[in-house]
Amino acid sequence: MEKALNVLVIGGNRYVGKRLIARLLAEGHRVTVLNRGSSPPPAGVEHLCADRDDERSLTDALGSRFFDVVVDQVCYTPRQAAIARRVFTGRTRRYVMTSTVEVYEYEDSPALVREEAVDPSTVPVDLDLAWDDPAFVEAHYGEGKRQAEAVLAAGPEFASTVVRVAHVLGGDDDFTGRLAHYAERIRTGEPIAVPAVNRPATYVYVEEIARFLAWAAGEDFTGPVNAASYGVLGTEELCVAMAAHVPGGRAEFRPVEVGEVSPFSFRRSYGMDNGRAVRLGFTFGEARQWLPRAVAETLGKGA
């Protein structure tokens, strides 16, 4: 980056967010963190407390502050995006929303999917759905992100981009428990439920996506962009990497035609093409190269 930026990070107290903040600070940027105050932000940042779902609370917390760029780590619904559009008009030049590969949940192709498969400008928005119900939001995660993208894309108030993040792996602070699910079953010999036809997916290393978001904050491109490491991984490959850290363990798979399956096992392909990001100037790593390190970190076995 050519100059220091004044950056607001919404959310960001754990996992990817805390790594993003550390990178921004290391690069010399001024960083402000906005959250509900449930946990303190890292040293060296200004801290604002507000409920991002409450427009008045958000407006009061921001006051007259202006930011070169906002990185929104916790926008899950079109209502949240609509509030952000209103509140940050005149308060920022650029808005970076962390989105997800799940926006492609209706795209099922063996080919890696490109951004144009889901054009935010064509996604219908329904603000009257039950977006205040946490259970509804969780059950409609991909749809919530799609509609949030659409709300931001509809506004000319500031330049915006949405970063469609692949499934994230790595770190000793992975709070999701998804890799631990597999490790426990490998250790005990309990069968791992997978779809009868189990599809691969693209992934991204936790440090890599933090680096990507910090980079995107200083760029000027707009529209959706996929963020994924090179190479697709299947459930079996993940389990082989984990079995190396579980003495005597082995993975036994139980195909499931209908019903719940293990995390990181998919009935449809979740592979993203990262070509746009590469053309814009970002360099991704190879998933198979960082996978052993990511698994070791998450399982607490060291690098």
Side-chain angles (χ1 to χ4, degrees), residues 12 49 74 81 135 165 206 226 234 254 270:
C49 290
V74 288
V165 182
V206 62
N226 293 337
R254 176 171 59 85
Y270 273 98

Side-chain angles (χ1 to χ4, degrees), residues 9 21 24 46 63 82 127 134 138 140 166 178 181 183 189 191 194 201 207 210-211 222 231 246 248 256-257 260 298:
V9 178
I21 292 168
L24 291 171
E46 182 180 5
L127 295 175
E138 182 178 2
H140 298 82
R178 291 174 293 189
H181 166 95
V194 296
E207 297 288 352
R211 181 168 61 89
T222 59
V246 184
V256 175
E257 291 286 352
E260 187 174 352
T298 305

Side-chain angles (χ1 to χ4, degrees), residues 50-71:
D51 180 353
R52 62 102 25 88
D53 294 318
D54 182 332
E55 189 164 347
R56 175 60 64 86
S57 171
L58 190 54
T59 301
D60 289 347
L62 292 170
S64 60
R65 293 175 178 82
F66 180 88
F67 301 95
D68 295 307
V69 59
V70 175
V71 182

Side-chain angles (χ1 to χ4, degrees), residues 182 186 192 194-200 203 233-243 251 253 255 264-265 291:
Y182 285 105
I186 292 171
I192 298 168
V194 296
V197 179
N198 195 10
R199 306 293 189 186
Y203 292 83
L233 301 172
T235 306
E236 294 83 356
E237 200 161 358
L238 293 176
C239 288
V240 167
M242 283 181 282
F253 299 102
F264 298 142
S265 58
L291 178 61

Side-chain angles (χ1 to χ4, degrees), residues 134-145:
F136 179 87
V137 173
E138 182 178 2
H140 298 82
Y141 179 66
E143 183 60 31
K145 287 287 193 179

Side-chain angles (χ1 to χ4, degrees), residues 16 19-20 23 205-215:
V16 173
R19 289 169 171 80
L20 165 63
R23 284 185 174 274
Y205 183 45
V206 62
E207 297 288 352
E208 187 171 48
I209 189 57
R211 181 168 61 89
F212 185 92
L213 291 169
W215 169 79

